[in-house]
Amino acid sequence: MKRVQSYTAPGIRVTFDPNVCIHSAVCLKSLPAVFDVRRRRWVQPEAASEAEVAAAIDRCPSGALKYVLAGRAEPTTEQPGGESKATIRTSTNGPLLVEGAFELLDESGSRIVSIGRAALCRCGATAKQPFCDGSHQRVGFRSKKSPAA
Ligand code: SF4
Ligand code: FES
């Protein structure tokens, strides 16, 4: 497992978990001043407003990027009242996108991760099971249209 990276600027702290990134490049396209892999310190949250950084990270499909605004509590998957709700969405020719309050457990029932967002492999080619690592593009995975409920 690679270590989780942390990048702090006044008013915001950004973390990046390389173990679950699916290399969609959404962050790079959304806010290139902040996210640029050609730089050694590839996340520079001070290069945009906190709101812009937060909005770009909210578009990260895998949950690899997260943020905490100064003075706010750490994000939690607990819903008010203890209610648990998550959605799982198929993506065209790509992973299953999970969002909401959920826990991902391994075969023995141990918790792998408990976060608000994850991209799970459904092509079988990932090297980071159960997470998508972007390999679906390399192998040319083609999804079938899901039947309507
Ligand atoms: S999964 Fe998130 S962190 Fe990884 S490239 Fe896409 S937007 Fe960036
Ligand atoms: S769906 Fe992305 S690597 Fe399998």
Side-chain angles (χ1 to χ4, degrees), residues 21-100:
C21 174
I22 66 170
H23 308 290
S24 63
V26 170
C27 53
L28 310 181
K29 291 176 197 151
S30 299
L31 208 50
V34 171
F35 304 100
D36 185 345
V37 290
R38 294 169 302 182
R39 296 183 308 225
R40 183 170 163 76
R41 185 171 174 265
W42 80 279
V43 181
Q44 299 190 359
E46 62 278 6
S49 71
E50 295 145 40
E52 288 171 321
V53 175
I57 292 177
D58 283 341
R59 289 197 283 274
C60 171
S62 68
L65 284 167
K66 296 196 183 72
Y67 65 90
V68 180
L69 296 172
R72 304 271 182 88
E74 293 275 339
T76 169
T77 58
E78 288 289 321
Q79 302 286 311
E83 195 182 321
S84 173
K85 187 172 181 208
T87 58
I88 303 174
R89 187 162 49 87
T90 58
S91 62
T92 304
N93 305 329
L96 295 172
L97 302 173
V98 189
E99 189 167 4

Side-chain angles (χ1 to χ4, degrees), residues 94-96 120-126 131-137 141:
L96 295 172
L120 303 180
C121 175
R122 65 174 170 150
C123 74
T126 183
F131 300 106
C132 166
D133 68 355
S135 294
H136 54 270
Q137 293 179 335
F141 172 66

